Amino acid sequence: MPLHVDVDRTFTVGEAWFASISADGEWAVVFEDDGVTGYFYASSWDDAGEGDFTSLLDALHVYNVADVPKLASSKRLEIVWNEAGTAAMLRLDGEPHAFYDFAASRAGCRTGFPPRLADSPFVRADGLDAAIASTFA
């Protein structure tokens, strides 16, 4: 299945914000590094007018800034969508770190944190690599 790389940027760990919207304008994902942690968020998207995030659906922990070695603090970030635009994956330096599958209501990340939020529509996937392989195959 072809993949669509929507965001492909290099950033320095400690401050970043990147957003990507599905091709149909229904979903959005955001990577945020606030200087303490890096998180990948899922949101619905209102494509009317200029467009807007409508509600936060879920959050996945990617890293703690203090745990990233200074020599590795420059990262290549990619936000990749499947061909249908129903699943988004976050890659850092070419490695998958987190994903949301909006169609299957599944999500996962390398750190396994946080546990599923009570009101999240996403079930946590077992085995990140296998889940990503089946979603983005």
Side-chain angles (χ1 to χ4, degrees):
M1 174 183 300
L3 301 178
H4 169 68
V5 178
D6 186 50
V7 176
D8 186 350
R9 304 282 299 268
T10 300
F11 74 101
T12 301
V13 172
E15 186 175 335
W17 191 93
F18 300 101
S20 179
I21 301 159
S22 63
D24 66 4
E26 187 172 352
W27 310 110
V29 292
V30 172
F31 171 76
E32 179 184 33
D33 176 335
D34 64 4
V36 178
T37 58
Y39 265 84
F40 194 45
Y41 300 104
S43 174
S44 53
W45 181 258
D46 179 0
D47 207 21
E50 294 182 24
D52 195 13
F53 299 99
T54 56
S55 63
L56 178 66
L57 301 173
D58 197 75
L60 294 169
H61 177 261
V62 178
Y63 59 75
N64 293 322
V65 171
D67 295 337
V68 178
K70 292 294 181 197
L71 294 175
S73 65
S74 180
K75 298 282 183 193
R76 178 179 178 204
L77 175 138
E78 297 169 289
I79 297 177
V80 180
W81 290 87
N82 66 356
E83 185 177 27
T86 58
M89 171 178 36
L90 173 73
R91 292 193 297 213
L92 296 176
D93 295 334
E95 295 293 322
H97 279 264
F99 82 99
Y100 287 105
D101 184 339
F102 294 92
S105 299
R106 291 186 322 153
C109 63
R110 286 217 177 277
T111 67
F113 185 80
R116 182 176 178 265
L117 305 171
D119 57 348
S120 172
F122 297 99
V123 173
R124 293 295 187 250
D126 290 328
L128 180 68
D129 292 330
I132 285 176
S134 67
T135 302
F136 294 92

